[in-house]
């Protein structure tokens, strides 16, 4: 056993809101040893980020405050200190030096007007008192160590000039710059593609081994930390409901919430009718107490499974139906360089010669990394972006040449649900109004009273209550907002819906609920979906057939199960391999690996 | 970047051409006979006709328009010999440096724009402008400097001390400064500091940048006359800068990269100066440069109240006397100012924000 580095004891953090005091963290205790990785898992609002920020002394105060408890840190120089009581300037010497942190949003976590190099140089010079030239040399070495391509170039580049994955590498370089004892990583890969996530996780593991650093890894997805963590702490509503070794948690989860988190991830190896959710394992009664339902993870998955026979039958029926959408040789180019007179001279080929059909009632999955053209393709189909060339016909009607007013009428039949439920609702408009508005625009129903009835009905269908009709978007959680967006798309009774990364911004537990909802609604209203996502396991769960896109072109197209079981292209293999699956054999292998390296 | 600037300049010229056209046709359909104004009491039919001929007003409007453009252009075409021609190269009108003969009669000339002459004082409009423009420019520049320095400073303090007494107090003051019209504030300030308190302040209610000594008649620089007009003119931009700086800094302080800076272990002071300020200054500096042209044109009221002999004062005077060439000339100068500052703002934006620079 290595020595203790961090002991958190009975920490309580409260936030003062306008009318009440909210307890964000409610008496948590855990400890971290040198070289150990602890995964803190929980849904948004469970207090996992606040716990990490309190260890860094970064809780925004006011309104936040550590009410009681101790966070004992065993410092290299100072010996054991209580981080809760430490004066601010003492804390500052530890922060960024012995305790480092990387954040969820690499896109916004770097200062846009300072070069990447200088931001790291600044951190080094602050704590190490060396010359600027040496600090620059050190930064360059760090950039090489975190495997940034062309490190000399990135020294002088501004954050907007490099990709999201590269930004996160710069953040890691910054955090590693003073060889911290503890690295706190707050959802460092959530905003990244799975393929990039994999490389970042591998990098963190390598660095940890080399420096014997401890990591606190915060995430909402148990799968991400399966091969990384030694210990797992599960948080729910500010409390730790379960903690134990990663093997115990995955093999024999005790708390129903942990079971729910394990079961709600869309699996790659089996085909499910619906995803188990937290609610299949527990309920919260009126008094706020958790009532457990007797069920194991495997039982829940077994009940949800769909047989090959059932699926075959459904597909025979499905593919005898007429095609609802035909896409032929569609190209969408964006000009990047224009001549002096505004004539484009250079293009980005976002969608490059893509053809496919969609049958009535089908769910067609569209998967690929960010920048592969999947979103542009989705928008081109709705003509939110005009195609450069090609043919798109919807219900046997060519829509590429349709005049604007006819296209607008057609849009009531073709809807899109966007990625970000936070920004796609107008904060000034009540949720009810947001649902009624499209009906009014398209002159559906006789009057506002009937429209309101319909909107109420839709709210019920997406499992919200009628009371929430009068609420504003900020009063809703991310999952609830996405339900509102779904209800708004359904308001026009469309036949064809494009879901563009509709669940990517949500926690896995919420994601499962929304995916189930989309499937239930599809059965009820006989929808046709195009489901776009960067997450192959989510796409696989949803789709009948699947298209893998890469660099604007179709890499592979076919039955979703076939592609996952037997991928033909190298690119698809890469996508599948980079998904954190959380399988037992992977966890055991990684534990064996760690042991081997320790000797 | 160079391509971008050239493009902006070309657009600027098109805008200016539009302004010239609008100004020309607008003022030519206005009622009033310039010849009658020029002659005043001495008007008789022959004299009026002679003047109309000299101004080209007996020709069709389109010819007059081409004449006007030719007068304004830096490069113009003229007839050397025929005094009856609309384009006769009159040494009285044009102060040209270089002339290139194109044929026996015609020549091309490189000259300063000719804004015609005032109907009233008979002086060249370009002379009037070059006399009064510096006075207005000094006033506008000193106001903008006042607004920038004091405004940014107060805005930063208000943002850092958010929700304290100082913050609320400065918000109330700036709301007041924004809503009070300058002609009203000007009168109050002139009365209070230039009259009631003049014993203590030593200031006067009216006065220009240059004054003439009562006895010797010598011209001298009187900087203290600048104080009150500067405060009056700078008050509104000052109030806006305070609010803009405050909200911009507060916005920046809530960004993720500020949290990153804190996580590095930087002190509060370093977080503000090294990370927050450069981001927060962007919109403020851009807005300030954009207002400069507006201040030049907007100085009219302030100049009248303080009898500041600037270009605004001149425009007001010309308007009351129907002195069209002066009005037209100054309008064009203001328009040019707007176009030039807009180009500068675009360039400043690129310098401050690398995200815009690259494109």
């Amino acid at each position: 056993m290595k020595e203790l580095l961090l002991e958190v004891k009975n920490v309580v953090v409260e936030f003062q809101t306008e009318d009440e005091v909210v307890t964000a963290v409610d008496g948590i205790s855990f400890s971290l040893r040198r070289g150990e990785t602890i995964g803190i898992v929980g849904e948004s609002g469970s207090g996992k980020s606040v716990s990490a920020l309190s260890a860094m002394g970064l809780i925004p105060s006011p309104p936040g405050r550590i009410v009681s408890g101790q966070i004992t840190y065993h410092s290299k120089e100072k010996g054991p200190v209580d981080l809760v009581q430490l004066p601010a300037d003492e804390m500052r010497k530890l922060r960024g030096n012995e305790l480092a942190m990387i954040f969820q949003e690499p896109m916004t976590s770097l200062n846009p007007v300072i070069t990447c190099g200088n931001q790291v140089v600044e951190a080094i010079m602050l704590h190490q008192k060396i010359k600027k030239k040496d600090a620059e040399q050190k930064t360059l070495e760090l950039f090489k160590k975190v495997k940034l391509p062309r490190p000399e170039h990135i020294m002088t580049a501004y954050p907007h000039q490099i990709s999201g994955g590269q930004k996160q590498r710069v953040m890691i370089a910054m955090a590693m710059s003073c060889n911290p004892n503890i690295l706190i990583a707050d959802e460092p890969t959530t905003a990244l593609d799975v393929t990039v996530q994999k490389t970042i996780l591998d990098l963190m593991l390598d660095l940890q081994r080399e420096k014997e650093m401890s990591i606190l890894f915060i995430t909402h997805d148990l799968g991400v930390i399966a091969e990384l963590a030694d210990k797992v702490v599960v948080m729910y509503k500010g409390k730790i409901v379960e903690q134990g070794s990663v093997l115990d948690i995955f093999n024999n989860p005790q708390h129903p919430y942990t079971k729910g988190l394990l079961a709600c991830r869309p699996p790659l190896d089996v085909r499910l009718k619906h995803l188990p959710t937290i609610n299949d394992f527990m309920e919260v009664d009126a008094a706020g107490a958790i009532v457990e339902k007797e069920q194991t993870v495997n039982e829940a998955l077994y009940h949800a499974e769909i047989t090959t026979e059932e699926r075959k039958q459904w597909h025979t029926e499905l593919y005898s139906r007429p095609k609802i959408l035909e896409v032929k040789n569609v190209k969408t180019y964006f000009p990047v360089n224009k001549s002096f007179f505004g004539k484009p001279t250079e293009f980005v080929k976002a969608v490059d010669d893509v053809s496919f059909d969609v049958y009535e009632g089908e769910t067609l999955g569209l998967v690929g990394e960010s920048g592969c053209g999947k979103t542009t393709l989705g928008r081109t189909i709705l003509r939110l972006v005009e195609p450069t060339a090609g043919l798109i016909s919807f219900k046997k009607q060519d829509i590429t040449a349709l005049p604007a007013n006819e296209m607008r009428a057609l849009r009531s039949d073709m809807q899109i649900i966007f990625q970000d439920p936070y920004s796609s609702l107008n904060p000034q408009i009540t949720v009810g109004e947001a649902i009624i508005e499209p009906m009014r625009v398209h002159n559906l129903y006789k009057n506002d009273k009937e429209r309101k009835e319909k909107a109420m009905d839709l709210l019920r269908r997406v499992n919200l209550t009628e009371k929430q009709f009068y609420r504003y978007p900020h009063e809703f959680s991310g999952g609830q907002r996405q339900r509102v967006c779904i209800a708004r798309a359904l308001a026009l009774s469309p036949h064809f819906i494009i879901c563009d990364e509709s669940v990517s911004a949500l926690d896995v537990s919420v994601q499962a609920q929304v995916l189930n909802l989309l499937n239930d609604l599809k059965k009820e209203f006989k929808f046709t979906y195009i489901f776009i996502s960067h997450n192959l396991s989510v796409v696989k769960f949803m789709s009948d057939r699947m298209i893998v896109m890469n660099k604007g072109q179709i890499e592979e197209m076919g039955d979703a199960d076939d592609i996952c079981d037997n991928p033909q292209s190298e690119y698809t293999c890469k996508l599948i391999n980079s998904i954190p699956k959380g399988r037992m054999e992977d966890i055991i292998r990684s534990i064996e690996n760690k042991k081997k390296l320790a000797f | 970047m160079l391509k971008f600037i050239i493009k902006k300049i070309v657009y600027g010229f098109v805008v200016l051409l539009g302004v010239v056209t609008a100004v020309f046709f607008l003022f030519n359909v206005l009622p009033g006979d310039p010849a009658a104004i020029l002659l005043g009491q001495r008007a008789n039919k022959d004299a009026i006709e002679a003047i109309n001929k000299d101004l080209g007003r007996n020709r069709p409007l389109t010819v007059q328009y081409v004449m006007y453009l030719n007068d304004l252009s830096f490069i113009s075409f003229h007839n050397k010999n025929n005094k009856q021609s609309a384009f006769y190269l009159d040494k009285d009108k044009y102060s040209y440096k270089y002339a290139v003969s194109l044929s026996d009669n015609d020549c091309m000339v490189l000259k300063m724009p000719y804004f015609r002459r005032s109907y009233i004082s008979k002086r060249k409009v370009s002379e009037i402008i070059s006399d009064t423009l510096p006075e207005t420019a000094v006033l506008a520049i000193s106001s903008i400097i006042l607004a920038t320095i004091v405004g940014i400073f107060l805005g930063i303090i208000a943002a850092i001390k958010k929700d304290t007494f100082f913050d609320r107090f400065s918000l109330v003051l700036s709301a007041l400064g924004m809503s009070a019209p300058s002609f009203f504030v000007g009168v109050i300030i002139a009365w209070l500091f230039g009259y009631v308190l003049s014993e203590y302040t030593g200031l006067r209610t009216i006065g220009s940048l240059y004054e003439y000594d009562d006895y010797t008649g010598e011209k001298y620089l009187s900087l203290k006359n600048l104080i009150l007009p500067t405060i009056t003119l700078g008050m509104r931009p000052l109030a806006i800068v305070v609010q803009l700086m405050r909200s911009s800094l507060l916005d920046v302080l809530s960004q993720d990269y500020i949290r990153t800076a804190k996580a590095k272990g930087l002190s509060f002071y370093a977080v503000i100066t090294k990370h927050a300020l450069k981001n927060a200054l962007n919109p403020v500096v851009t807005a300030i440069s954009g207002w400069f042209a507006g201040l030049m044109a907007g100085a009219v009221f302030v100049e009248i109240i303080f009898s500041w002999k600037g270009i605004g004062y001149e425009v007001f005077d010309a308007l009351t006397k129907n002195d069209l060439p002066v009005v037209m000339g100054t309008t064009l100068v203001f328009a040019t100012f707007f176009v030039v500052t807009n180009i500068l703002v675009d360039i400043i934006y690129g310098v401050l924000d690398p995200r815009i620079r690259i494109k």
Side-chain angles (χ1 to χ4, degrees):
Chain A
M1 278 277 209
K2 290 274 162 70
E3 81 266 27
L4 275 173
L5 268 186
L6 191 74
E7 288 171 277
V8 176
K9 263 191 208 136
N10 298 321
V11 168
V12 178
V13 183
E14 288 180 350
F15 279 83
Q16 177 78 47
T17 65
E18 260 172 40
D19 35 43
E20 56 177 341
V21 175
V22 179
T23 309
V25 172
D26 193 1
I28 59 162
S29 306
F30 64 90
S31 55
L32 179 68
R33 291 174 184 281
R34 177 174 296 283
E36 193 177 42
T37 301
I38 293 186
I40 302 184
V41 190
E43 58 198 12
S44 33
S46 63
K48 54 191 196 306
S49 288
V50 176
S51 327
L53 289 173
S54 58
M56 286 290 279
L58 281 179
I59 291 192
S61 162
R65 194 165 70 92
I66 300 177
V67 183
S68 64
Q70 291 138 26
I71 303 175
T72 313
Y73 167 65
H74 297 266
S75 164
K76 272 185 266 194
E77 294 160 13
K78 297 188 179 72
V81 283
D82 184 3
L83 297 181
V84 178
Q85 307 294 340
L86 206 62
D89 51 335
E90 290 290 308
M91 187 71 220
R92 221 164 34 232
K93 281 179 197 151
L94 292 179
R95 207 187 284 150
N97 188 12
E98 295 188 31
L99 308 167
M101 187 156 182
I102 46 180
F103 298 98
Q104 173 169 13
E105 279 294 338
M107 309 297 165
T108 53
S109 291
L110 289 171
N111 194 330
V113 300
I114 303 179
T115 60
C116 296
N118 276 340
Q119 298 197 40
V120 181
V121 166
E122 185 187 24
I124 296 176
M125 285 175 69
L126 183 68
H127 294 293
Q128 300 188 1
K129 313 279 176 260
I130 56 175
K131 278 195 210 121
K132 180 143 198 224
K133 204 152 212 174
D134 300 331
E136 274 167 2
Q137 190 55 40
K138 210 167 164 205
T139 305
L140 199 62
E141 279 162 27
L142 278 166
F143 279 177
K144 280 178 194 153
K145 191 168 257 169
V146 297
K147 302 193 182 84
L148 274 166
R150 293 164 67 206
E152 292 84 2
H153 166 76
I154 287 180
M155 281 296 286
T156 55
Y158 288 95
H160 69 277
Q161 293 168 304
I162 61 179
S163 72
Q166 289 173 350
K167 275 181 222 172
Q168 200 59 297
R169 279 166 199 266
V170 172
M171 282 297 289
I172 292 177
M174 193 191 291
M176 302 299 301
S177 63
C178 298
N179 289 327
N181 278 333
I182 300 176
L183 177 68
I184 299 174
D186 187 1
E187 307 247 15
T189 57
T190 307
L192 304 172
D193 275 349
V194 273
T195 42
V196 183
Q197 164 170 296
K198 168 108 175 134
T199 59
I200 296 280
L201 293 180
D202 288 348
L203 173 69
M204 285 177 68
L205 214 56
D206 285 348
L207 291 173
Q208 177 187 26
R209 276 174 200 155
E210 200 186 313
K211 307 276 182 197
E212 257 212 323
M213 177 176 65
S214 310
I215 298 181
L216 265 185
F217 197 107
I218 296 161
T219 177
H220 64 89
D221 185 355
L222 259 172
V224 173
I225 50 163
E227 292 163 51
L228 195 73
D230 303 297
K231 248 164 69 181
V232 176
V233 171
V234 183
M235 282 189 78
Y236 180 69
K237 295 204 168 150
K239 289 197 175 81
I240 293 179
V241 291
E242 185 168 2
Q243 59 177 315
S245 78
V246 67
L247 207 58
D248 283 346
I249 294 282
F250 273 81
N251 215 2
N252 189 16
Q254 295 303 311
H255 194 274
Y257 181 70
T258 317
K259 291 181 196 168
L261 279 183
L262 277 172
C264 69
R265 313 182 63 246
L268 264 184
D269 42 358
V270 286
R271 165 68 59 177
L272 301 180
K273 274 199 284 277
H274 63 88
L275 285 172
T277 61
I278 308 282
N279 289 343
D280 291 335
F281 297 92
M282 61 183 243
E283 259 172 14
V284 181
D285 66 13
I290 295 168
V291 181
E292 187 173 352
K293 294 178 185 172
E294 281 299 324
Q295 188 169 223
T296 65
V297 174
N298 285 335
E299 277 168 4
L301 288 175
Y302 179 75
H303 288 313
E305 214 168 315
I306 182 171
T307 62
T308 331
E309 285 309 306
E310 280 176 288
R311 188 169 152 85
K312 230 176 217 164
Q313 216 173 353
W314 153 244
H315 277 179
T316 335
E317 200 242 327
L318 173 69
Y319 293 119
S320 62
R321 291 181 188 173
K323 292 169 186 172
I324 191 168
L325 180 84
E326 287 165 81
V327 174
K328 281 207 183 81
N329 307 100
V330 163
K331 296 173 185 171
T332 310
Y333 295 172
F334 295 115
V336 277
N337 246 328
K338 283 181 179 171
S339 69
F340 190 79
F341 298 102
K343 208 176 160 212
T345 53
E346 227 184 297
F347 296 95
V348 167
K349 298 179 176 177
V351 178
D352 194 11
D353 201 4
V354 166
S355 311
F356 62 89
D357 304 320
V358 186
Y359 292 84
E360 220 176 294
E362 190 182 13
T363 300
L364 180 75
L366 201 55
V367 69
E369 289 173 290
S370 51
C372 74
K374 55 191 192 305
T375 294
T376 311
L377 178 58
R379 295 190 178 176
T380 308
I381 291 170
L382 294 184
R383 274 184 66 201
L384 296 172
V385 175
E386 291 293 334
T388 314
L391 198 79
I392 303 166
S393 58
F394 179 70
K395 293 187 174 169
K396 310 275 172 224
Q397 181 187 18
D398 179 13
I399 62 167
T400 42
L402 227 50
N405 56 340
E406 281 179 49
M407 191 62 218
R408 211 174 307 130
L410 200 64
R411 289 235 166 89
S412 68
D413 213 5
M414 310 168 87
Q415 282 290 305
I416 185 162
I417 302 170
F418 291 105
Q419 169 166 17
D420 197 340
Y422 295 93
S423 58
S424 52
L425 285 173
N426 186 337
Q428 314 272 339
I429 295 178
T430 62
V431 155
E433 272 299 308
I435 299 173
I436 288 182
E437 194 187 12
M439 296 191 237
R440 213 179 276 147
V441 169
H442 286 274
N443 250 328
L444 293 179
Y445 307 104
K446 265 190 239 125
N447 48 37
D448 270 8
K449 199 172 159 233
E450 276 186 35
R451 288 181 197 130
K452 192 174 160 188
E453 268 167 35
K454 172 78 181 169
M456 293 279 194
D457 183 47
L458 284 169
L459 279 179
R460 269 195 305 272
R461 290 285 168 81
V462 296
N463 303 330
L464 294 171
T465 63
E466 289 183 11
K467 263 189 238 154
Q468 288 165 321
F469 184 89
Y470 302 100
R471 301 265 168 85
Y472 287 90
H474 72 265
E475 296 173 66
F476 291 79
S477 70
Q480 287 175 323
R481 281 184 220 203
Q482 199 57 293
R483 283 163 204 265
V484 173
C485 292
I486 292 171
R488 182 174 59 178
L490 298 189
L492 299 172
S493 332
H495 284 100
F496 176 73
I497 298 178
I498 294 182
C499 304
D500 186 3
E501 299 269 15
S502 302
V503 293
S504 305
L506 305 176
D507 284 354
V508 269
S509 50
V510 183
Q511 167 183 295
Q513 295 167 10
V514 173
L515 290 177
N516 285 341
L517 173 70
L518 284 171
N519 272 339
D520 293 345
L521 291 170
K522 179 183 165 179
K523 261 185 222 128
E524 197 178 331
F525 294 101
K526 313 239 174 310
F527 290 142
T528 308
Y529 286 138
I530 288 187
F531 192 90
I532 302 174
S533 177
H534 69 274
N535 189 334
L536 197 124
S537 54
V538 171
V539 172
K540 189 235 163 175
F541 165 71
M542 290 298 286
S543 350
D544 298 300
R545 282 182 310 150
M546 180 158 94
I547 292 176
V548 182
M549 263 186 96
N550 185 19
K551 290 178 184 151
Q553 290 175 325
I554 291 180
E555 188 82 26
E556 203 167 339
M557 175 159 59
D559 186 90
D561 287 4
D562 290 349
I563 289 187
C564 287
D565 297 341
N566 190 15
Q568 294 303 310
S569 86
E570 213 175 293
Y571 181 74
T572 318
C573 290
K574 194 176 106 191
L575 278 184
I576 292 174
N577 284 335
S578 50
I579 296 170
K581 296 167 197 76
R583 283 183 308 209
M584 279 323 287
E585 60 260 39
D586 296 330
I587 298 171
I588 293 168
R589 203 184 52 233
S590 80
I591 292 174
E592 297 289 319
N593 269 341
K594 276 183 200 164
K595 274 189 192 149
K596 248 185 259 165
L597 284 164
F599 283 111
Chain B
M1 190 69 195
L2 190 70
K3 206 161 99 182
F4 170 78
I5 293 172
I6 293 173
K7 213 171 191 172
K8 285 279 165 196
I9 291 174
V10 172
Y11 284 149
F13 261 107
V14 176
V15 170
L16 277 182
L17 189 68
V19 174
V20 169
T21 311
V23 163
F24 176 81
F25 285 103
L26 204 65
F27 285 114
N28 266 287
V29 296
L30 284 180
D33 188 354
I37 300 169
L38 271 169
L39 290 166
Q41 302 273 317
R42 295 170 290 130
N44 66 53
K45 211 179 164 200
D46 288 344
I48 287 177
E49 218 162 79
I51 284 175
N52 271 342
K53 202 172 166 191
D54 184 51
L55 292 174
R57 284 181 70 93
N58 51 358
R59 294 173 206 273
L61 204 57
T62 43
V63 176
Q64 285 190 45
Y65 175 61
V66 175
M67 281 168 69
Y68 191 55
L69 284 186
N70 205 30
D71 281 355
L72 289 181
S73 170
F74 286 97
I75 296 165
S76 52
F77 300 91
H78 296 280
N79 189 312
K80 281 189 286 192
N81 306 319
N82 183 4
K83 288 199 176 178
Q84 298 302 312
S85 161
F87 299 100
Y88 174 64
L89 186 62
D90 191 337
K91 298 248 161 74
D92 270 357
K93 291 181 177 173
Y94 310 112
S95 51
Y96 58 91
K97 290 259 165 57
Y98 306 99
V100 183
S101 286
L102 298 175
S103 70
D104 287 348
N105 282 329
D106 303 316
C107 66
M108 191 171 78
V109 165
L110 187 69
K111 67 164 192 343
M112 289 306 286
Y114 173 60
F115 290 106
R116 314 249 161 120
R117 281 172 188 280
S118 161
Y119 292 162
I120 308 295
S121 65
K122 314 283 189 316
R123 286 173 71 202
K124 274 190 185 176
V125 173
S126 50
E127 271 174 29
I128 296 175
I129 290 174
S130 66
D131 276 0
T132 52
L133 192 63
E135 300 244 347
T136 301
V138 166
L139 182 58
I141 289 170
S142 62
S143 304
I144 211 89
I145 289 174
L146 174 84
T148 311
I149 294 175
V150 180
I152 288 180
F153 183 71
L154 289 182
I156 292 172
I157 297 178
I160 292 172
K161 303 213 175 274
K162 186 175 175 272
D163 292 334
T164 60
F165 173 76
F166 180 86
D167 179 32
R168 301 229 169 83
F169 185 66
S170 71
L171 277 186
V172 170
L173 270 192
S174 75
L176 212 66
M178 256 189 265
S179 49
S182 61
F183 52 84
F184 174 70
V185 175
V187 171
I188 298 287
I189 287 183
W191 173 74
L192 193 65
F193 295 102
Y195 179 73
V196 180
L197 300 175
S198 67
E199 273 185 47
Y200 308 103
T201 55
L203 301 173
R204 293 185 297 151
T205 46
I206 57 167
S208 274
L209 190 56
Y210 291 100
E211 293 285 318
Y212 295 93
D213 193 283
D214 288 344
Y215 299 106
T216 60
E218 248 175 78
K219 195 175 170 184
Y220 66 93
L221 186 70
S222 172
L223 275 179
K224 70 175 185 186
N225 283 347
L226 189 61
I227 297 172
L228 295 182
T230 299
I231 293 173
T232 313
L233 188 61
M235 186 172 270
R236 199 201 227 0
L238 170 71
I240 297 172
V241 170
V242 171
Q243 298 230 344
L244 204 62
M245 187 68 218
R246 176 181 179 273
S247 62
S248 169
L249 188 57
L250 283 179
D251 181 52
V252 167
L253 284 178
S254 70
Q255 296 290 320
D256 287 347
Y257 54 79
I258 295 298
R259 189 181 53 185
T260 308
K262 283 186 196 157
K264 275 185 207 172
L266 288 175
S267 67
F268 181 71
Y269 178 74
V271 170
I272 296 279
T273 53
K274 289 192 184 150
H275 286 264
L277 265 191
K278 199 174 173 195
N279 282 291
L281 274 177
N282 269 2
V284 181
V285 171
T286 321
I288 290 171
S289 4
W291 286 325
F292 183 65
L295 273 192
M296 294 280 295
V300 179
F301 283 129
V302 178
E303 290 184 3
I304 292 164
I305 289 166
F306 292 96
S307 290
W308 187 265
K309 297 282 181 291
I311 199 164
Y313 191 85
E314 204 64 48
V315 173
F316 178 75
D317 202 39
L319 271 172
T320 55
K321 291 172 181 158
N322 242 347
D323 195 353
L324 289 189
V326 177
V327 178
M328 286 163 85
T330 45
T331 309
L332 291 183
V333 169
F334 285 146
T336 315
F337 256 104
F338 272 103
V339 168
V340 171
T341 42
N342 270 325
I343 294 173
L344 287 180
V345 166
D346 282 332
I347 296 170
I348 291 174
Y349 224 109
V351 171
L352 282 177
D353 196 333
R355 282 167 294 185
I356 293 159
R357 198 185 307 163
I358 305 307
K359 292 202 168 169

